[in-house]
């Protein structure tokens, strides 16, 4: 299979990445393609779509292989579900599927740059295909995904640090932490997450998150 490009995202590591796309629209993904005969035409009309599907390889899960049973994060590791009843990266072909929002397409001198919003991908993820999201066939508001698949809520985030970070990055960091990326119910531990070139240390107490330290990577 051909890799179209490696997407650039604010996420250097898997830990802390939103568990689905579009939970955090401020998470921007940038894809660059060479301006050759193929790509110069392949995007014609794409700006007519507000949303796109990205098909990609969960490349950082390949070495870990496939798992028939996985522990979906919504159960905090307490329940096991079949991989085909989950969106886990540990699938036989490690193929991922994310719907993102189209932001822009730029035709530069030597490259074409496609920018999208709401990625749930580690930076460097190989993109295998891009398709338009088509409402009549892709959206089923009545679809049942079980009460267990509700959209996660953002928890309150307290900034206990003074740092000069621009508003956009601040909001992104706040949302990443607010989605509570902790793998389990460990109350005491301090965690570190890498977002947009910053290492953010945080703790959890009484259903709120506390940012303890932010340093540039
Ligand atoms: N929307 C996609 C992805 C859901 S899983 C789908 O349903 O197929 C999302 C999680 O995959 C993220 O939280 C992150 O931890 C992990 N992830 C993101 N990019 C990855 C990659 N390239 N390799 C392995 N895991 C990745």
């Amino acid at each position: 299979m051909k890799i179209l490009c490696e997407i650039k995202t604010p996420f250097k590591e898997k830990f802390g990445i939103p568990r689905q796309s579009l939970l955090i629209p401020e998470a921007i993904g940038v894809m660059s393609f060479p301006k050759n005969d193929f790509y110069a035409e392949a995007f014609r009309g794409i700006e007519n779509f507000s949303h796109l599907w990205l098909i990609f390889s969960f490349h950082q899960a390949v070495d870990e292989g496939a798992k028939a049973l996985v522990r979906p994060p919504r159960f905090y590791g307490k329940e096991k579900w079949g991989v085909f009843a989950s969106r886990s990266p540990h699938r036989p072909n490690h193929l991922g599927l994310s719907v993102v929002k189209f932001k822009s397409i730029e035709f530069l001198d030597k490259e074409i740059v496609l920018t999208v919003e709401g990625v749930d991908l580690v930076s460097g993820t190989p993109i295998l295909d891009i398709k338009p999201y088509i409402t009549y066939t892709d959206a089923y508001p009545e679809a049942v995904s079980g009460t267990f698949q509700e959209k996660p809520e953002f928890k309150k985030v307290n900034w206990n640090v003074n740092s000069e970070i621009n508003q956009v990055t601040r909001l992104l960091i706040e949302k990443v932490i607010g989605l509570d990326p902790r793998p389990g119910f460990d109350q005491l531990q301090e965690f570190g997450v890498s977002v947009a070139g910053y290492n953010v240390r945080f703790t959890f107490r009484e259903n709120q998150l506390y940012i303890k330290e932010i340093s540039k990577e």
Side-chain angles (χ1 to χ4, degrees):
M1 209 169 326
K2 286 196 183 74
I3 293 172
L4 306 187
C5 70
E6 291 177 1
I7 191 168
K8 290 199 187 73
T9 79
F11 308 114
K12 205 178 76 177
E13 302 165 351
K14 279 186 284 179
F15 179 66
I17 299 180
R19 285 162 183 157
Q20 273 305 338
S21 58
L22 281 172
L23 284 172
I24 305 184
E26 292 78 6
I28 302 290
V30 179
M31 291 167 270
S32 302
F33 308 87
K35 206 174 177 186
N36 60 23
D37 290 350
F38 180 82
Y39 287 115
E41 301 196 306
F43 295 104
R44 191 188 294 174
I46 200 165
E47 68 282 357
N48 290 293
F49 296 91
S50 64
H51 292 70
L52 301 171
W53 288 107
L54 301 182
I55 298 172
F56 59 90
S57 164
F58 283 115
H59 71 310
Q60 288 192 6
V62 173
D63 288 349
E64 294 156 22
K67 293 182 186 148
L69 290 174
V70 298
R71 295 177 191 273
R74 62 182 176 274
F75 300 123
Y76 294 94
K78 286 185 184 154
E79 267 188 48
K80 284 189 173 182
W81 282 60
V83 66
F84 298 132
S86 88
R87 303 289 285 258
S88 163
H90 297 101
R91 342 183 55 83
N93 290 309
H94 300 95
L95 285 179
L97 184 65
S98 291
V99 61
V100 292
K101 222 169 152 190
F102 169 84
K103 189 162 195 271
S104 63
I105 181 116
E106 294 162 284
F107 292 82
L108 307 178
D109 272 356
K110 294 210 169 96
E111 54 175 2
I112 296 163
V113 181
L114 173 62
T115 307
V116 296
E117 297 175 359
V119 294
D120 54 352
L121 310 174
V122 72
S123 201
T125 293
I127 302 298
L128 305 174
D129 207 350
I130 299 164
K131 301 190 189 193
Y133 180 97
I134 297 177
T135 313
Y136 84 82
T137 183
D138 290 343
Y140 296 91
E142 77 282 15
V144 175
S145 52
T147 50
F148 46 81
Q149 270 294 26
E150 272 158 19
K151 197 169 174 178
E153 282 185 13
F154 288 91
K155 292 181 178 158
K156 183 165 181 339
V157 176
N158 303 277
W159 288 74
N160 292 356
V161 287
N162 264 331
S163 58
E164 288 180 14
I165 300 179
N166 71 55
Q167 269 310 110
V168 178
T169 308
R170 217 183 134 91
L171 188 58
L172 174 64
I173 292 174
E174 187 160 324
K175 289 197 172 181
V176 167
I177 304 294
L179 279 177
D180 190 1
R182 293 171 309 134
F185 273 131
D186 194 336
Q187 302 274 335
L188 301 171
Q189 209 183 322
E190 189 173 305
F191 294 92
V193 64
S194 163
V195 189
Y198 291 94
N199 188 277
V200 186
R201 312 244 0 129
F202 68 95
T203 56
F204 174 90
R205 190 160 33 89
E206 287 162 9
N207 215 32
Q208 294 190 20
L209 293 131
Y210 294 82
I211 296 179
K212 294 280 178 191
E213 199 185 320
I214 295 194
S215 51
K216 201 124 182 77
E217 286 173 342

